[in-house]
């Protein structure tokens, strides 16, 4: 029974407080909404200006700074490997050319019996006695 009376007293006190505080709470809510709109109106242009600054000025600067840092820390390129490969290819091509020239000269300098005397005499007759090689 005491518990029921205490609960009833608390309910009446709470409803009385709600009646007294209700208008103040409503007024506080309206003032807070107005102040929030004022704060949004004040901050929106500043945020827009900051965004433009980041896009136009700061962004390219940061990008350039990062690119420069990447170039500074990047290890050097191995140009020696490329040069070695190029020199190896050049040496192999030269060796193949020299070998081909040597084999060609050997093939021309080998004398076959019967053919060389006919070719030599006909060459002498055509050149007026001068032999060309």
């Amino acid at each position: 029974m005491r518990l029921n009376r205490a609960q009833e007293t608390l309910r009446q006190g709470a409803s009385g407080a709600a009646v007294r505080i209700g208008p103040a709470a409503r007024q506080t809510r309206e003032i807070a909404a107005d102040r929030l709109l004022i704060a949004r109106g004040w901050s929106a242009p500043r945020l827009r200006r900051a965004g433009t600054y980041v896009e136009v000025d700061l962004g390219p600067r940061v990008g350039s700074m990062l690119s420069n840092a990447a170039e500074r820390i990047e290890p050097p390129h191995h140009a020696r490997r490329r040069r070695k490969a190029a020199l190896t290819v050049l040496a192999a091509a030269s060796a193949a050319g020299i070998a081909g020239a040597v084999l060609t000269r050997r093939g021309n300098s080998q004398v076959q019996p019967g053919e060389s005397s006919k070719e030599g005499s006909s060459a002498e007759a055509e050149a007026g006695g001068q032999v060309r090689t």
Side-chain angles (χ1 to χ4, degrees), residues 4-57:
N4 289 338
R5 269 189 270 171
Q7 286 178 344
E8 186 62 35
T9 306
L10 288 174
R11 281 188 200 121
Q12 287 174 359
S15 65
V19 169
R20 285 190 310 262
I21 294 177
R26 234 177 280 116
Q27 184 181 7
T28 304
R29 192 176 8 216
E30 290 172 3
I31 291 171
D34 288 342
R35 298 267 169 94
L36 186 62
L37 285 175
I38 291 169
R40 287 173 62 186
W42 177 86
S43 63
R46 285 163 178 77
L47 287 173
R48 187 173 292 115
R49 194 175 326 128
T52 303
Y53 171 74
V54 168
E55 286 178 359
V56 174
D57 293 333

